């Protein structure tokens, strides 16, 4: 008997939702580094441009519960220990500013630290200085009941803190630095949606199999690889697209031949 094998690539992105393209920003990237200068404000601002919003491929659209902002702070000193202590104090001040601005809804999660030797003209007999750079993320909790405007106010509060930190860095003597990433809305625990994503994938796979199979050769799911991590793509302050990558084959089995 002849066996027909169909390859089924049921990957993330089975559904779609209207929103921003993957990686689209909710706010502009804002960075201040050592030696940077501020741009003067124009006398008249141009009319706002409409953001480009393409469709986002996602299996499930849910409400984000956290705003995430990456940051890196840099302090320079002849002694690396003193540079690190200064960086620690800068992070503590940053945490305080965000807590005050967001009504206690923000937390700081540190990620890494690095040390780089730098040559400064003012080093003199002290030799080369050392820059300590620490990085992490600011997470601002979004209560489910918050509407678009309440979430936008939290985003505005984050923007104000970034502005204040930038001003403080620019007023320093060139031995400090601060960089912020793009503010994005996320689901803090996407694994909580794995069961729903898996069940949804199974329903789609069964529906496809029923439509494609022949009466004498039912389609069966075989060789399924373990599902990967849940991917999330920002759509707006109110929506995040979640996708689960699953790969299986559909094997079309013909009926067994009758024996004498």
């Amino acid at each position: 008997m002849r066996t027909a094998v169909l390859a089924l690539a049921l990957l993330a992105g089975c559904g779609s939702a209207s929103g921003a393209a993957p990686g689209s920003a909710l706010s502009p990237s804002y960075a201040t580094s050592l030696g940077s200068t501020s741009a003067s404000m124009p006398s008249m601002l141009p009319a706002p441009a409409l953001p480009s919003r393409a469709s986002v491929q996602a299996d499930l659209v849910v409400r984000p519960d956290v705003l995430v902002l990456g940051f890196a702070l840099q302090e320079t000193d002849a002694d690396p220990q003193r540079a690190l202590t200064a960086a620690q104090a800068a992070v503590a001040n940053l945490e305080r500013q965000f807590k005050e601005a967001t009504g206690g809804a923000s937390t700081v999660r540190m990620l890494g630290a690095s040390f780089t030797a730098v040559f400064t003209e003012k080093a003199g007999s002290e030799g080369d200085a050392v820059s300590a750079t620490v990085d992490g993320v600011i997470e601002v909790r979004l209560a489910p009941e918050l509407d678009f405007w309440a979430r936008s106010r939290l985003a505005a509060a984050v923007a104000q803190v970034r502005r204040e930190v930038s001003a403080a860095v620019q007023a320093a003597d060139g031995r400090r630095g601060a960089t912020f990433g793009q503010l994005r809305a996320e689901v803090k625990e996407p694994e909580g949606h794995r069961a729903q994503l898996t069940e949804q994938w199974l329903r789609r796979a069964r529906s496809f199999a029923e439509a494609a199979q022949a009466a004498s050769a039912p389609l069966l799911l075989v060789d399924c690889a373990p599902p990967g991590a849940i991917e999330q793509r920002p759509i707006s302050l109110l929506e995040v697209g979640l996708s689960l990558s699953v790969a299986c084959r559909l094997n079309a089995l013909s009926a067994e031949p009758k024996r004498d």
Side-chain angles (χ1 to χ4, degrees):
M1 298 298 294
R2 184 178 178 182
T3 301
V5 178
L6 300 178
L8 173 65
L10 295 173
L11 303 177
C14 295
S16 65
S18 237
S24 61
L26 297 175
S27 62
S29 177
Y30 195 94
T32 301
S33 57
L34 295 179
S36 64
T37 58
S38 60
S40 59
M41 291 290 291
S43 57
M44 294 184 63
L45 293 175
L50 287 174
S52 176
R53 298 189 184 277
S55 63
V56 171
Q57 298 297 316
D59 298 330
L60 181 66
V61 176
V62 298
R63 203 172 181 89
D65 56 14
V66 65
L67 292 176
V68 180
L69 177 70
F71 72 90
L73 299 181
Q74 185 181 75
E75 296 286 344
T76 305
D77 196 281
D79 183 347
Q81 292 290 348
R82 288 201 302 264
L84 182 61
T85 299
Q88 183 179 7
V91 170
N93 186 57
L94 185 71
E95 184 174 17
R96 176 188 59 77
Q97 289 177 279
F98 272 108
K99 278 188 177 296
E100 292 177 354
T102 61
S106 66
T107 58
V108 174
R109 179 163 54 91
M110 299 306 299
L111 297 176
S114 61
F115 301 87
T116 305
V118 295
F119 176 79
T120 61
E121 296 179 355
K122 298 180 181 179
S125 59
E126 295 182 2
D128 291 343
V130 174
S131 287
T133 302
V134 295
D135 67 278
V137 293
I138 302 290
E139 296 180 345
V140 182
R141 296 185 302 278
L142 297 174
E145 65 273 11
L146 294 182
D147 64 7
F148 171 80
W149 296 110
R151 290 165 183 249
S152 295
R153 290 187 182 92
L154 284 173
V158 170
Q160 178 60 26
V161 173
R162 293 191 303 181
R163 180 182 178 184
E164 294 172 357
V165 172
S166 172
V169 167
Q170 292 177 358
D173 58 359
R175 301 171 72 87
R176 302 180 62 195
T179 301
F180 293 99
Q182 295 178 335
L183 186 66
R184 60 190 188 274
E186 291 186 354
V187 176
K188 186 173 177 61
E189 299 293 342
E191 287 297 321
H193 298 276
R194 181 173 289 274
Q196 185 178 357
L197 284 165
T198 302
E199 178 59 29
Q200 184 168 290
W201 184 91
L202 287 172
R203 285 199 305 267
R204 290 173 178 169
R206 289 165 182 161
S207 177
F208 176 82
E210 291 173 0
Q213 70 189 1
S216 59
L219 297 179
L220 302 176
L221 286 172
V222 296
D223 297 336
C224 290
I230 296 175
E231 299 178 359
Q232 52 180 310
R233 297 176 177 88
I235 298 175
S236 69
L237 286 171
L238 297 174
E239 292 182 323
V240 169
L242 301 180
S243 296
L244 181 63
S245 179
V246 182
C248 291
R249 285 192 308 113
L250 278 177
N251 194 1
L253 301 179
S254 298
E256 291 289 337
K258 294 184 178 179
R259 296 181 180 179
D260 295 336

